[in-house]
Amino acid sequence: MEKRLAPVKLDSYQPLREVVCESLRDAIRRGVLKPGERLMEIQLSEELGVSRTPVREAIRKLEQEGYVIMMPRRGTYVATMSIRDINEIFEIRTALESLSNGLAAERITEEELEHLQRLLVIIGGYIKENDIEKIVDTDIEFHDLLYHAARNTRLVGIISNLRDQLTRFRTLSMSYPGRLEATLEEHREIVEAIAQGNVEVARKAAEKHMENSEKTLLQAMDIVSKQKADASKNKKKRSGKDQRQEL
C-alpha cells in the first residue's frame, strides 16, 4: 500500500503522542486522510515510524476534537461532515468570532492593527493572481492575528479547534465564484470597525462574515454533490450502453 504519511521527527521537544496527533490532524485537514476512511493503527504506526501506543493515544485525542469517530467492533474512521455538523460548528463559531472581534476592538495594539491592514493588501494581491493556496494561508494568518488581539487564550483555543474542523473545506469555499472579493471586503469592514474601537460594529461584522462563509460553503458543497450525482448517472448510462453492445 502506498505510504501517504511522512515519518515523524523523534527529536521534537513535544511528547511523542502530541507529535503523532499533530501529524494525523494535519493529514485530515489536508485531505490526505479522507472523510469516512478507516484508520488502522498498525498501518499508521508503520508509516509514521512509531509504535502503536502513541498512535492509539493520538487517535483518542482526535476523537475528542471531533476529527475521528471510534465505532465499537467496527474500528476508527475519519469523521465525515454533515450539513448539520457544519450548521452547528458555524452557529458556535459565529458567537465566538463576534466575541473575539469585540474584545479585539478594545484591546488591539497599533502594531497589530497595522499588521492587519498589511495583510489586507497582501490578500488583495493574491486575489488578483488567483493564488488560492496563498490566499487561504494568509486568511488563516489574518484570523489568527484577530484572535491574538482579543487577549483571551481560552477563547483562541476553542475558536481555533472549531475552525480547524472546517479547514478541509476552505479551498472549496474560497473557489466559489465571487467569494474571494466578498471575503476581502468583509475583512476590510472588520478591520475598520476594530480600528475605530467600535465594539458593536466589529461584532456585527464578524457575524456577517461567518454567515456568508457558511452560506457559501453550503452552496459550494451542493454544487459538488450535484456534479458527483451527474457523473454517477453518466457512468451508469455508459455501462448500460456497453453491456447492450456486447449483447
Side-chain angles (χ1 to χ4, degrees), residues 158-189:
I158 297 171
I159 294 179
S160 296
N161 176 263
L162 290 169
R163 181 187 65 181
D164 289 347
Q165 292 183 44
L166 294 172
T167 297
R168 71 186 86 164
F169 300 108
R170 189 175 288 267
T171 299
L172 173 64
S173 178
M174 289 291 191
S175 300
Y176 190 82
R179 184 57 194 155
L180 291 178
E181 293 78 9
T183 296
L184 181 59
E185 182 57 34
E186 289 162 16
H187 283 176
R188 286 194 179 116
E189 292 175 2

Side-chain angles (χ1 to χ4, degrees), residues 5 19 36 48 55 60 68 74 93 97 105 120 122 125 131 138 151 157 159 181 186 188 194 211 225 229 238:
L5 305 178
V19 177
L48 296 173
V55 172
R60 287 173 181 165
V68 305
R74 292 186 58 185
R93 189 179 167 192
E97 290 274 357
L120 290 178
I122 293 172
D131 192 328
T138 311
R151 302 290 186 277
I159 294 179
E181 293 78 9
E186 289 162 16
R188 286 194 179 116
I194 290 176
E211 289 168 3
S225 178
R238 288 195 299 269

Side-chain angles (χ1 to χ4, degrees), residues 119 122-127 129-142 170-171 174 180:
L119 288 177
I122 293 172
I123 292 174
Y126 289 148
I127 289 176
E129 298 170 5
N130 198 33
D131 192 328
I132 299 295
E133 184 175 349
K134 288 184 178 179
I135 292 171
V136 169
D137 289 342
T138 311
D139 180 75
I140 291 174
E141 182 181 356
F142 177 87
R170 189 175 288 267
T171 299
M174 289 291 191
L180 291 178

